[in-house]
Amino acid sequence: MAATYNGTSGRADEGYSSGVSDLNIFYEPGHLAFMLIASVLVLLMIPGVGFFYSGLARRKSALQLILLSMVSVAVIGFQWFFWGYSLAFSRTGSAFLGDLTQFGLMNTLAQPSSSTFIPDILYYLYQGMFAAITPALAIGAVADRGRMLPAIVFIFIWSTVVYDPIAYWTWNPNGWLAKLPAYDFAGGGPVHQSSGFAALAYSIMLGKRTGYSKTQGLPYRPHSVTNVVLGTVFLWVGWFGFNGGSALAMNLRAIMACVVTNLAACCAGLTWLLLDWRLERKWSTIGFCSGAISGLVGITPASGFVAPWAAVVIGVVTATCCNLATKLKYIMGVDDALDIFAVHGVGGAVGNILTGLFGAQSIASLDGTTQPPIGWIDHHWIQLGYQLAGVCSVFAWSFTLSCIILFLMNLIPGLSLRVSASAEEIGIDDAELGEFAYDYVELTRHVADSASGGLSSSSSTHEKNSREVV
């Protein structure tokens, strides 16, 4: 049995104020192991995002999306150490943002974090994975036409200006959303809504890809359904750490979060599959994968608050809303290439709203704490208003500031957001990376050039592009 921490509280402290030399006595190894595994599972999700996005993209721009996902880990790994963790989770700060009392991990070691079951340093690691996956989700908006350098710079600035404040509002006890309270167990607002709305802003500021049609998008099919499935598997498995680990201890609440997470994904995948089948009488693998992801997004804010039966409803409703939201880009005339806004922005908003309806005190208390009434199930009617306040504030903050950041970056020499027309034509992987996701892409392009000697230049280009996207 772990000893009760008896040191300084209410300010950042390494933990030695407890007067002991062995700080391990305050923590159960089981809780530490569980949270360490959960951190690794969330890390696994990030290459999953890359594979999912690359499979949906064109072959000649597939590698960029995988690389950007991994670069997000590195950029945020430094940013989170430098000041991100302190801005989001410092013990002191205003209602809107933390301070720099834990800058560079100062006084961040073994003092209990937001949970008495884990120390600051482990909470830093776990939440750092959330901070890394969020811009990785948003940055898929660069597909087929965005430059690498501005995307990398955007990841750092956006996380500091957009993600850290939203995380502070939602999860820091001093944050204004936490004080309402607007409930968000694992990141429907800070992770999914913020990334979805940022992707919408990035898509608008980049402009449409060459050949984009307002009513039909682009006539390109996803180049690798296998990559989409692989990415879905990584994400689905990792989500057990994403939602289950948000209990911040190994207890019944963590187990229930895993149960409802899996159930919502199953129901959402089947719902999207049937919705797509009704249109073309075809069983779509990508439809199932997109549905499963939408269900995982929808259950994220609710996972520590709802019973299994509610997870079924959340999965079905979220998949339906996200499926219909994929048509919004045609109405708005925005080239959201990978439907990030539809799945993450809309899905996160739906999940947050449904948390206000189905959140149950009995589920929230499974971690052994005493919880107040949560949602309409507990006859707590005002909670829906609090949830809507959270949804609207995250939308306004993320979308508006993302547009401002991108607009200003685009004015700076060397940070123009979009590649040239010729680079877009040959593909981002060739123009920006000089590497390819598949060796035969370069061979195919070379053979196509050789075989088209009698064609005009424009005809040759058309033939090459056709071979690349089929």
Side-chain angles (χ1 to χ4, degrees), residues 42 56 71 88 142 157 237 275 324 359 388 422 425 454:
V42 180
L56 291 173
V71 166
V142 305
I157 297 174
V237 171
L275 287 171
L324 297 175
L388 287 170
S422 59
E425 182 179 354

Side-chain angles (χ1 to χ4, degrees), residues 254-312:
I255 295 172
M256 180 60 80
C258 291
V259 169
V260 298
T261 295
N262 189 65
L263 186 56
C266 294
C267 295
L270 292 173
T271 300
W272 196 303
L273 189 67
L274 292 172
L275 287 171
D276 280 3
W277 180 86
R278 88 188 196 282
L279 297 175
E280 298 183 9
R281 296 299 189 266
K282 301 287 186 181
W283 300 101
S284 170
T285 306
I286 290 177
F288 176 80
C289 291
S290 298
I293 299 302
S294 71
L296 291 165
V297 171
I299 197 62
T300 292
S303 54
F305 301 108
V306 300
W309 67 265
V312 175

Side-chain angles (χ1 to χ4, degrees), residues 359-432:
Q361 180 183 30
S362 59
I363 302 299
S365 300
L366 286 175
D367 58 4
T369 62
T370 301
Q371 297 285 347
I374 305 296
W376 282 19
I377 294 297
D378 295 331
H379 307 291
H380 189 229
W381 313 114
I382 191 62
Q383 190 59 47
L384 182 60
Y386 294 156
Q387 298 300 117
L388 287 170
V391 169
C392 294
S393 62
V394 171
F395 166 74
W397 187 264
S398 180
F399 181 76
T400 303
L401 287 182
S402 296
C403 287
I404 293 173
I405 293 168
L406 291 165
F407 176 78
L408 294 176
M409 282 177 55
N410 205 38
L411 298 177
I412 299 173
L415 289 182
S416 57
L417 303 178
R418 185 161 180 156
V419 299
S420 64
S422 59
E424 184 177 352
E425 182 179 354
I426 66 172
I428 307 301
D429 292 352
D430 194 348
E432 290 271 303

Side-chain angles (χ1 to χ4, degrees), residues 200-268:
L200 178 64
Y202 214 129
S203 298
I204 293 172
M205 300 304 289
L206 268 179
K208 301 170 187 175
R209 290 167 289 177
T210 302
Y212 185 85
S213 165
K214 182 176 180 180
T215 57
Q216 296 179 329
L218 282 170
Y220 304 127
R221 299 172 67 87
H223 92 274
S224 176
V225 179
T226 303
N227 274 8
V228 174
V229 175
L230 179 64
T232 302
V233 171
F234 279 19
L235 287 165
W236 199 326
V237 171
W239 231 290
F240 283 89
F242 196 88
N243 287 357
S246 292
L248 303 181
M250 183 66 262
N251 52 42
L252 282 174
R253 193 180 190 188
I255 295 172
M256 180 60 80
C258 291
V259 169
V260 298
T261 295
N262 189 65
L263 186 56
C266 294
C267 295

